[in-house]
Amino acid sequence: EAGVGADLESAGALLSLMWSGYGGVSFHTNGTMSISPQLPVGVHTLVLRRLQFLSNRLILRVDAKGWTLELAPFSPPEAQDLVVVSMAGASALRAGPVSVPTGHAALVQPQHTVWGLVV
């Protein structure tokens, strides 16, 4: 029974990390996800392979140069299209991986089209 308490503490710690933005990823109640990763001292790369957002399966890769977000090969084709909005502009995630330099954040949100423009 001592193992049950440890399991509950581990689960609580994991939920806390996810809620407070593990790996620089935070989910917001307005239907967006923000990404602003920073590698801890002594860590050279971080890969989150099973992020899920609005039915999309995502892969986030972080290294010293910056970070890249891409759709995983097993992401369902019927999932809502996403756009990554950063200082460089807006990039549709379905068009290919989106890379952002170190120290820059971005917002991931559903892709909307207004008068033929992606917003």
Side-chain angles (χ1 to χ4, degrees):
E1 294 197 22
V4 172
D7 288 343
L8 288 175
E9 288 177 15
S10 295
L14 177 62
L15 287 173
S16 176
L17 285 171
M18 293 307 290
W19 182 257
S20 62
Y22 178 75
V25 177
S26 297
F27 300 94
H28 306 284
T29 57
N30 66 353
T32 63
M33 175 177 71
S34 59
I35 302 177
S36 181
Q38 295 182 1
L39 292 173
V41 175
V43 175
H44 302 287
T45 59
L46 172 69
V47 180
L48 301 177
R49 288 184 167 78
R50 299 234 179 226
L51 281 176
Q52 185 169 336
F53 180 62
L54 298 176
S55 300
N56 288 279
R57 309 301 194 281
L58 307 170
I59 301 171
L60 175 65
R61 301 175 197 281
V62 185
D63 63 23
K65 297 178 193 172
W67 57 269
T68 301
L69 185 68
E70 63 183 295
L71 286 175
F74 50 85
S75 191
E78 66 276 4
Q80 187 170 4
D81 288 339
L82 300 174
V83 63
V84 179
V85 181
S86 69
M87 290 181 63
S91 301
L93 199 52
R94 207 162 289 282
V98 175
S99 296
V100 177
T102 298
H104 291 228
L107 192 67
V108 182
Q109 63 187 32
Q111 178 175 314
H112 303 288
T113 305
V114 177
W115 296 325
L117 301 172
V118 174
V119 292

